[in-house]
PDB file of all heavy atoms in Angstrom:
ATOM      1  N   GLY A 693     -33.102 -85.791 -76.860  1.00 96.00           N
ATOM      2  CA  GLY A 693     -33.373 -86.731 -77.948  1.00 96.00           C
ATOM      3  C   GLY A 693     -34.301 -87.852 -77.524  1.00 96.00           C
ATOM      4  O   GLY A 693     -35.210 -88.234 -78.265  1.00 96.00           O
ATOM      5  N   SER A 694     -34.103 -88.367 -76.334  1.00 97.00           N
ATOM      6  CA  SER A 694     -34.965 -89.466 -75.884  1.00 97.00           C
ATOM      7  C   SER A 694     -36.395 -88.971 -75.650  1.00 97.00           C
ATOM      8  O   SER A 694     -37.359 -89.667 -75.964  1.00 97.00           O
ATOM      9  CB  SER A 694     -34.400 -90.116 -74.623  1.00 97.00           C
ATOM     10  OG  SER A 694     -34.357 -89.185 -73.564  1.00 97.00           O
ATOM     11  N   MET A 695     -36.560 -87.761 -75.113  1.00 97.00           N
ATOM     12  CA  MET A 695     -37.904 -87.225 -74.903  1.00 97.00           C
ATOM     13  C   MET A 695     -38.577 -86.917 -76.248  1.00 97.00           C
ATOM     14  O   MET A 695     -39.776 -87.175 -76.429  1.00 97.00           O
ATOM     15  CB  MET A 695     -37.847 -85.958 -74.037  1.00 97.00           C
ATOM     16  CG  MET A 695     -37.369 -86.226 -72.628  1.00 97.00           C
ATOM     17  SD  MET A 695     -38.272 -87.505 -71.769  1.00 97.00           S
ATOM     18  CE  MET A 695     -39.836 -86.729 -71.566  1.00 97.00           C
ATOM     19  N   TYR A 696     -37.818 -86.364 -77.179  1.00 96.00           N
ATOM     20  CA  TYR A 696     -38.385 -86.057 -78.498  1.00 96.00           C
ATOM     21  C   TYR A 696     -38.794 -87.348 -79.216  1.00 96.00           C
ATOM     22  O   TYR A 696     -39.862 -87.422 -79.825  1.00 96.00           O
ATOM     23  CB  TYR A 696     -37.404 -85.277 -79.362  1.00 96.00           C
ATOM     24  CG  TYR A 696     -37.950 -85.010 -80.734  1.00 96.00           C
ATOM     25  CD1 TYR A 696     -38.882 -84.008 -80.936  1.00 96.00           C
ATOM     26  CD2 TYR A 696     -37.565 -85.793 -81.818  1.00 96.00           C
ATOM     27  CE1 TYR A 696     -39.420 -83.776 -82.195  1.00 96.00           C
ATOM     28  CE2 TYR A 696     -38.097 -85.569 -83.076  1.00 96.00           C
ATOM     29  CZ  TYR A 696     -39.026 -84.560 -83.257  1.00 96.00           C
ATOM     30  OH  TYR A 696     -39.554 -84.358 -84.495  1.00 96.00           O
ATOM     31  N   TYR A 697     -37.937 -88.375 -79.111  1.00 96.00           N
ATOM     32  CA  TYR A 697     -38.271 -89.636 -79.776  1.00 96.00           C
ATOM     33  C   TYR A 697     -39.548 -90.232 -79.170  1.00 96.00           C
ATOM     34  O   TYR A 697     -40.406 -90.749 -79.891  1.00 96.00           O
ATOM     35  CB  TYR A 697     -37.129 -90.643 -79.664  1.00 96.00           C
ATOM     36  CG  TYR A 697     -37.502 -91.980 -80.225  1.00 96.00           C
ATOM     37  CD1 TYR A 697     -37.568 -92.188 -81.593  1.00 96.00           C
ATOM     38  CD2 TYR A 697     -37.841 -93.035 -79.381  1.00 96.00           C
ATOM     39  CE1 TYR A 697     -37.950 -93.412 -82.115  1.00 96.00           C
ATOM     40  CE2 TYR A 697     -38.222 -94.249 -79.892  1.00 96.00           C
ATOM     41  CZ  TYR A 697     -38.275 -94.450 -81.257  1.00 96.00           C
ATOM     42  OH  TYR A 697     -38.654 -95.645 -81.763  1.00 96.00           O
ATOM     43  N   GLY A 698     -39.686 -90.175 -77.861  1.00 96.00           N
ATOM     44  CA  GLY A 698     -40.883 -90.708 -77.220  1.00 96.00           C
ATOM     45  C   GLY A 698     -42.136 -89.964 -77.648  1.00 96.00           C
ATOM     46  O   GLY A 698     -43.187 -90.558 -77.935  1.00 96.00           O
ATOM     47  N   MET A 699     -42.044 -88.624 -77.722  1.00 96.00           N
ATOM     48  CA  MET A 699     -43.177 -87.820 -78.157  1.00 96.00           C
ATOM     49  C   MET A 699     -43.517 -88.110 -79.624  1.00 96.00           C
ATOM     50  O   MET A 699     -44.679 -88.284 -79.984  1.00 96.00           O
ATOM     51  CB  MET A 699     -42.859 -86.330 -77.980  1.00 96.00           C
ATOM     52  CG  MET A 699     -44.025 -85.414 -78.221  1.00 96.00           C
ATOM     53  SD  MET A 699     -44.046 -84.390 -79.702  1.00 96.00           S
ATOM     54  CE  MET A 699     -42.402 -84.153 -80.184  1.00 96.00           C
ATOM     55  N   ARG A 700     -42.500 -88.203 -80.448  1.00 96.00           N
ATOM     56  CA  ARG A 700     -42.695 -88.468 -81.874  1.00 96.00           C
ATOM     57  C   ARG A 700     -43.355 -89.834 -82.082  1.00 96.00           C
ATOM     58  O   ARG A 700     -44.284 -89.987 -82.882  1.00 96.00           O
ATOM     59  CB  ARG A 700     -41.342 -88.412 -82.577  1.00 96.00           C
ATOM     60  CG  ARG A 700     -41.375 -88.682 -84.048  1.00 96.00           C
ATOM     61  CD  ARG A 700     -39.952 -88.579 -84.621  1.00 96.00           C
ATOM     62  NE  ARG A 700     -39.923 -88.963 -86.007  1.00 96.00           N
ATOM     63  CZ  ARG A 700     -39.711 -90.202 -86.443  1.00 96.00           C
ATOM     64  NH1 ARG A 700     -39.492 -91.175 -85.584  1.00 96.00           N
ATOM     65  NH2 ARG A 700     -39.707 -90.465 -87.726  1.00 96.00           N
ATOM     66  N   HIS A 701     -42.876 -90.819 -81.331  1.00 96.00           N
ATOM     67  CA  HIS A 701     -43.433 -92.172 -81.439  1.00 96.00           C
ATOM     68  C   HIS A 701     -44.917 -92.169 -81.065  1.00 96.00           C
ATOM     69  O   HIS A 701     -45.740 -92.783 -81.762  1.00 96.00           O
ATOM     70  CB  HIS A 701     -42.650 -93.121 -80.530  1.00 96.00           C
ATOM     71  CG  HIS A 701     -43.278 -94.465 -80.395  1.00 96.00           C
ATOM     72  ND1 HIS A 701     -43.282 -95.388 -81.414  1.00 96.00           N
ATOM     73  CD2 HIS A 701     -43.944 -95.039 -79.368  1.00 96.00           C
ATOM     74  CE1 HIS A 701     -43.914 -96.481 -81.013  1.00 96.00           C
ATOM     75  NE2 HIS A 701     -44.326 -96.288 -79.773  1.00 96.00           N
ATOM     76  N   GLN A 702     -45.282 -91.477 -79.992  1.00 96.00           N
ATOM     77  CA  GLN A 702     -46.682 -91.440 -79.568  1.00 96.00           C
ATOM     78  C   GLN A 702     -47.556 -90.710 -80.584  1.00 96.00           C
ATOM     79  O   GLN A 702     -48.692 -91.112 -80.841  1.00 96.00           O
ATOM     80  CB  GLN A 702     -46.801 -90.773 -78.190  1.00 96.00           C
ATOM     81  CG  GLN A 702     -46.299 -91.632 -77.058  1.00 96.00           C
ATOM     82  CD  GLN A 702     -47.076 -92.920 -76.911  1.00 96.00           C
ATOM     83  OE1 GLN A 702     -48.290 -92.968 -77.111  1.00 96.00           O
ATOM     84  NE2 GLN A 702     -46.371 -93.982 -76.566  1.00 96.00           N
ATOM     85  N   GLN A 703     -47.032 -89.642 -81.175  1.00 96.00           N
ATOM     86  CA  GLN A 703     -47.815 -88.891 -82.162  1.00 96.00           C
ATOM     87  C   GLN A 703     -48.106 -89.749 -83.386  1.00 96.00           C
ATOM     88  O   GLN A 703     -49.226 -89.744 -83.909  1.00 96.00           O
ATOM     89  CB  GLN A 703     -47.072 -87.614 -82.580  1.00 96.00           C
ATOM     90  CG  GLN A 703     -46.915 -86.617 -81.458  1.00 96.00           C
ATOM     91  CD  GLN A 703     -48.213 -85.949 -81.070  1.00 96.00           C
ATOM     92  OE1 GLN A 703     -49.228 -86.577 -80.843  1.00 96.00           O
ATOM     93  NE2 GLN A 703     -48.177 -84.641 -80.998  1.00 96.00           N
TER      94      GLN A 703
END
Side-chain angles (χ1 to χ4, degrees):
S694 62
M695 295 307 292
Y696 177 78
Y697 175 75
M699 188 251 335
R700 179 179 174 270
H701 170 72
Q702 287 298 324
Q703 295 289 50

